Amino acid sequence: MEYYQTTALVANNGYRDWDRELRPFWGHPALRSSLRAVYTESANSGEYTTGAASVEAMNVTDYKTSAVGNEEVHLKACVDFSDVRNFAGDGKEIPRAAGAPSRYQFDYVMRHQGAGSYWTVNEQIPHPEQAC
């Protein structure tokens, strides 16, 4: 999934230019707003990651048609973060919280942005309580 590849590149690069790099993937302002504080703080403090998350499985849970080309698909994805390591600005590794799963479910809503356009992430809901 190109979204996760780009997110990894941004995080591996100290979150520099996160808004410019990730904005094309976000179809709804609420998604950008929800991630803005986290990404801005990470960039300002010099945090970074190594590795990348991977989508291990993905299933369509709903599909809505549209007469004007704005179809919507709902997905449930198992995302594996075990290859991702987080580091503080001083280079010290930030350990994963005790008991936090490295593989868990996400719900996504993807929306097509109209004829001749592309699909965007309109909603992203993590479910760390749902290991996969």
Side-chain angles (χ1 to χ4, degrees):
M1 180 179 217
E2 189 178 349
Y3 174 57
Y4 274 103
Q5 292 170 340
T6 304
T7 300
L9 289 173
V10 166
N12 291 177
N13 195 31
Y15 296 89
R16 284 189 290 274
D17 300 322
W18 68 265
D19 190 48
R20 182 177 54 82
E21 296 292 330
L22 293 172
R23 184 182 295 250
F25 294 97
W26 296 332
H28 196 281
L31 182 58
R32 180 179 174 269
S33 295
S34 71
L35 296 171
R36 173 184 220 129
V38 173
Y39 288 168
T40 299
E41 175 59 30
S42 294
N44 290 343
S45 67
E47 292 178 6
Y48 64 96
T49 66
T50 61
S54 60
V55 178
E56 299 298 309
M58 187 178 299
N59 297 303
V60 174
T61 59
D62 194 15
Y63 176 78
K64 297 176 183 177
T65 62
S66 168
V68 294
N70 297 105
E71 298 92 354
E72 187 174 279
V73 65
H74 295 235
L75 305 165
K76 182 165 283 289
C78 174
V79 181
D80 185 348
F81 295 92
S82 59
D83 288 339
V84 177
R85 301 286 181 263
N86 296 293
F87 294 89
D90 63 4
K92 292 183 182 175
E93 187 168 359
I94 302 169
R96 188 179 307 278
S102 59
R103 291 170 51 108
Y104 54 92
Q105 298 285 340
F106 275 78
D107 288 328
Y108 288 99
V109 175
M110 306 286 294
R111 183 168 295 139
H112 194 258
Q113 296 301 316
S117 192
Y118 50 89
W119 289 86
T120 59
V121 179
N122 275 45
E123 194 172 323
Q124 171 181 297
I125 303 170
H127 296 286
E129 74 284 359
Q130 295 176 12
C132 55

